[in-house]
């Protein structure tokens, strides 16, 4: 079981980044839920921002994770979120 805080932290480390704002409360960030395939948990949608990226929930076949895209136009390509 993980929380959005756990998964955001993993994605932030991946990009050597730090959040500056998000739409989750502290309590919502810390709710633990099943994030594995087939879990289909009732999760809370959110958007979070750093100075360089926008973070959001992604799901495929009941497996949840945090994904992100650049905040500003650039040459980084993104495959279809939730599949590809």
């Amino acid at each position: 079981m993980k929380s959005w805080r756990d998964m955001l932290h993993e994605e932030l480390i991946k990009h050597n980044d730090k959040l500056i704002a998000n739409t989750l409360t502290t309590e919502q960030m810390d709710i633990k839920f099943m994030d594995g395939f087939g879990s289909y948990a009732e999760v809370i949608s959110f958007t979070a921002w750093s100075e360089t990226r926008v973070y959001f929930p992604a799901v495929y076949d009941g497996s949840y994770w945090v994904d992100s895209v650049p905040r500003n136009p650039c040459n980084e390509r993104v495959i279809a979120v939730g599949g590809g």
Side-chain angles (χ1 to χ4, degrees):
M1 291 182 52
K2 288 187 178 180
S3 67
W4 285 128
R5 182 183 304 281
D6 298 332
M7 289 187 270
L8 270 166
H9 181 73
E10 291 170 5
E11 186 73 4
L12 289 164
I13 288 173
K14 179 177 163 182
H15 296 285
N16 192 29
D17 213 352
K18 183 178 178 181
L19 285 186
I20 58 173
N22 77 69
T23 60
L24 294 171
T25 65
T26 300
E27 294 80 19
Q28 291 170 326
M29 285 186 68
D30 292 328
I31 295 170
K32 298 281 186 183
F33 60 91
M34 295 299 294
D35 61 320
F37 285 105
S39 60
Y40 296 104
E42 286 191 33
V43 297
I44 300 166
S45 298
F46 69 90
T47 309
W49 298 265
S50 73
E51 289 189 13
T52 60
R53 301 190 73 78
V54 178
Y55 297 85
F56 49 87
V59 62
Y60 176 75
D61 199 21
S63 180
Y64 294 86
W65 68 94
V66 172
D67 209 339
S68 66
V69 294
R71 187 169 175 164
N72 298 305
C74 68
N75 291 330
E76 181 179 325
R77 294 182 181 195
V78 177
I79 63 168
V81 176

